[in-house]
Amino acid sequence: AASTRERTIAWRRARGAQPAVRLARLGLAGENLTNRQSMRCQVSPDETALQQLHDQTGWTPGAEHIRPDAASRAQKELLFSNLDTMWASPGDWVMHQVFSSPTQRRADGRRCVVEAPPPGRFALRPQPFPYLLPVGTQHLVLWSSSPRAATSADAITAAIADALDAEHGGGRSGGGGDFVWYENPKKSVVDARLHHVQVFWRPPPQPPPPRPQ
């Protein structure tokens, strides 16, 4: 019988996908990804798959890089405790903080958004409670103002790439650095009006400083 790798390669060739991108989507190792020119794709949140990919790249999160430290966890717990008393839901707070949706105070004193943001908007933000990641890798969150079912993986990848290229790559396609992303199976904010994914970004190399004249 064909091995898992052989079946993966046969399926990949049939689909005409780029090898490293397709393997990364599956969370599989087996090819040297460290020296790839660019890596921008979805990966599996499975810990074994993440570790396999980390062993190949060195910068993507592995099994030991998917949780914040104790101090960040405590800050997160405090924030969500306050949200429970001050906001109708964590999703309302996100829509106000991320998408600038106007709010009003309900009869019970909690705030809620007057209207949800229009669907189809994306916002890339630093993760306020970042995981303990490999040196040089940064943790971001991509928020979508559309429900999960209306937000495709391709749209997510494109939104991350566009945001990074615009802010860090001088508008050049691929200039904003490498990234991988996954949907956390244990989300802290679950809201039918929104969707979000965890993004792990390796910034582009910085040019050396100019030599003194």
Side-chain angles (χ1 to χ4, degrees):
S3 67
T4 300
R5 174 168 168 74
E6 289 170 340
R7 290 194 300 269
T8 299
I9 293 173
W11 175 79
R12 184 178 69 216
R13 288 173 176 169
R15 292 292 299 271
Q18 293 182 358
V21 171
R22 185 57 60 188
L23 281 171
R25 288 184 184 222
L26 293 172
L28 296 174
E31 295 195 18
N32 186 350
L33 307 181
T34 305
N35 297 321
R36 289 191 72 258
Q37 186 175 21
S38 178
M39 184 175 181
R40 306 179 134 199
C41 56
Q42 179 184 10
V43 295
S44 168
D46 176 76
E47 290 189 23
T48 300
L50 287 173
Q51 186 60 46
Q52 290 175 337
L53 190 59
H54 171 74
D55 291 342
Q56 291 292 309
T57 67
W59 66 269
T60 57
E64 300 299 319
H65 307 119
I66 56 176
R67 295 171 185 85
D69 61 19
S72 293
R73 288 198 301 270
Q75 292 173 356
K76 182 177 181 178
E77 291 172 2
L78 177 61
L79 171 65
F80 278 85
S81 176
N82 290 333
L83 292 181
D84 286 341
T85 62
M86 299 173 62
W87 287 83
S89 73
D92 285 82
W93 177 77
V94 168
M95 285 185 278
H96 175 64
Q97 292 291 321
V98 176
F99 296 107
S100 301
S101 296
T103 66
Q104 63 184 9
R105 193 175 299 277
R106 304 191 316 188
D108 63 3
R110 291 181 171 89
R111 301 204 70 84
C112 65
V113 295
V114 177
E115 186 178 9
R121 294 177 58 188
F122 291 98
L124 187 63
R125 297 286 186 269
Q127 166 61 265
F129 311 106
Y131 300 166
L132 290 169
L133 296 172
V135 174
T137 301
Q138 298 188 25
H139 192 178
L140 312 173
V141 180
L142 182 80
W143 289 96
S144 168
S145 64
S146 297
R148 181 181 186 277
T151 309
S152 71
D154 286 345
I156 290 171
T157 300
I160 299 168
D162 289 346
L164 292 177
D165 289 346
E167 186 169 352
H168 303 283
R172 295 182 298 105
S173 177
D178 291 352
F179 65 84
V180 296
W181 66 268
Y182 65 67
E183 180 180 354
N184 195 332
K186 298 180 180 179
K187 293 183 177 180
S188 299
V189 177
V190 179
D191 192 296
R193 300 166 292 181
L194 298 169
H195 183 47
H196 71 284
V197 300
Q198 307 299 318
V199 182
F200 306 96
W201 171 48
R202 181 172 65 169
Q206 297 299 310
R211 299 177 63 179
Q213 300 294 326

